[in-house]
Amino acid sequence: MDHFQYKNGVLHVEDVPLTRIAEAVGTPVYVYSRATLERHAQVFREALSGLPRVHVAFAIKANPNIAVLKVLAKQGFGADVVSGGEVARAIAAGMKPEDIVFSGVGKTRAEMEYALGVGVGQFNLELEEEGAVLGQIAASMGKTATATLRVNPDVDAGTHAKISTGKKENKFGVAIGEANGIFDRLSGTAGLSLRGLACHIGSQLFDLGPMEAAYGHVGDKVAELRAAGHVIDRVDLGGGLGVPYERDKVPPSPATYGQMVERATKGWRDGADGHPPVTLMFEPGRVIVGNAGVLLTEVIWVKPGAVNPYIIVDAAMNDLARPAMYDAWHDFEAVAPTGERMIANIAGPVCESGDTFAMGRDIDAVKAGDLAVFRTAGAYGATMASTYNSRALVPEVMVDGDRFAVVAERIKPETIIAAEHVPDFLAD
Ligand SMILES: *Cc1c(COP(=O)(O)O)cnc(C)c1O
């Protein structure tokens, strides 16, 4: 359930009509619902309530806006981060450093040092050398870095190739068969406490089968590592749960996912035979924020086309990259629909044919000057925005009941030009 509903024929976010936001802030603009974010966070937690030791770290890359992170911090979420910049954001939003998990295949030495300095709680290692370097840096700072090893379970998540991460040819993690050797060689490394495994096989997953298979492989590895004398007390099961971009394509619910996790981890999560219990860690991104946001846009032209008309909107691929990048679908709805329909293509103003949101789509009939939204744009939306074609960086608004606030300003081309410099050698 979300809080994007038509009232008196006008699409509202909670109690605010989108016409009001367009008037005050202009378009294009992302609009988030605080109540929806909170509800999704609660539903996710509730789904895991049958598990005794759980840590939820929101995957910041899905939506790094500080206000969004603040809402999730208030819900008790930590953060899964993939850069020093994301560490800074998590802390700026009030998340506890010890609740931050640092993932990512290319952490630099400077990022490790910064993260250790602020007290980041866990590092998910992507290769053996990274563990050695992290230990060295931590030891030189008089600290010990807590770490897990990200394993690649070689399962096909059945999602788009560009968001598939758990096959052996992907760049992420170490082959699961190599984990034993890496644990043996890294154990005893000064400054490093390697005590768990991590896996994340992909995003926008609709089939829990591959995830359950991956978790099964991870469980087998936990047993092997324990048998070899290693202490395992945390396992990071990643994120990846899908969201319904199309109304009639419904992903597994968080509750179904929670039941699967209970089943898949039963044999090893509670410890036994002298082994400590395992804290299960989760890194949801899209499922928390996807349906909590829309991209509000205005129709500039309705341009006749060879087959169908083109609806040219003022949002473009630089504001919402997913359709161009992943052939992704976003529902398009008029803010004040007349009830009439049309078959049309939807495109932005950027000079690329790829700047097309939909072809031959059955949509609310719209005309120049009408407002419309792309739904389910809260995840991997604003965070991927650029200023390509020297367009402004798209702003973000958060609604809370009957009030709203700009939570990221529109960054105008003038501001960006001011940060560029003509060198002396080009002076006239
Ligand atoms: C992207 C990512 C996530 C979040 O994925 P979602 O599909 O948005 O839930 C979690 N963990 C890692 C390591 C990631 O790279």
Side-chain angles (χ1 to χ4, degrees), residues 59 61 80 103 150 200 203-204 239-240 283-286 380:
K61 73 173 192 282
D80 171 64
S103 300
R150 179 169 179 181
H200 171 73
S203 195
Q204 185 56 8
E283 303 172 342
R286 192 187 307 270
Y380 306 103

Side-chain angles (χ1 to χ4, degrees), residues 343-413:
I343 306 290
N345 310 324
I346 308 165
V350 159
C351 293
E352 300 261 358
S353 292
D355 183 22
T356 301
F357 295 105
M359 290 298 284
R361 184 92 69 88
D362 178 0
I363 57 169
D364 289 330
V366 288
K367 57 184 190 318
D370 284 356
L371 293 171
V373 293
F374 291 102
R375 298 287 298 248
T376 315
Y380 306 103
T383 180
M384 284 189 183
S386 76
T387 58
Y388 184 43
N389 276 213
S390 290
R391 290 165 53 82
L393 193 63
V394 63
E396 297 162 86
V397 161
M398 184 179 287
V399 172
D400 175 24
D402 60 1
R403 55 189 177 168
F404 68 90
V406 173
V407 294
E409 291 171 27
R410 188 183 311 279
I411 300 187
K412 298 195 173 129

Side-chain angles (χ1 to χ4, degrees), residues 44 57-63 80-82 101-104 124 126 150 163 165 172 198-205 211 236-242 282-289 379-380:
F44 196 83
F58 172 62
I60 285 195
K61 73 173 192 282
N63 190 322
D80 171 64
V81 304
V82 293
V101 176
F102 200 161
S103 300
N124 290 354
E126 292 264 357
R150 179 169 179 181
I163 47 176
T165 56
F172 298 101
C199 84
H200 171 73
I201 62 169
S203 195
Q204 185 56 8
L205 306 187
M211 271 181 163
D236 188 333
L237 297 174
L241 212 52
F282 299 87
E283 303 172 342
R286 192 187 307 270
V287 73
I288 304 297
V289 291
Y380 306 103

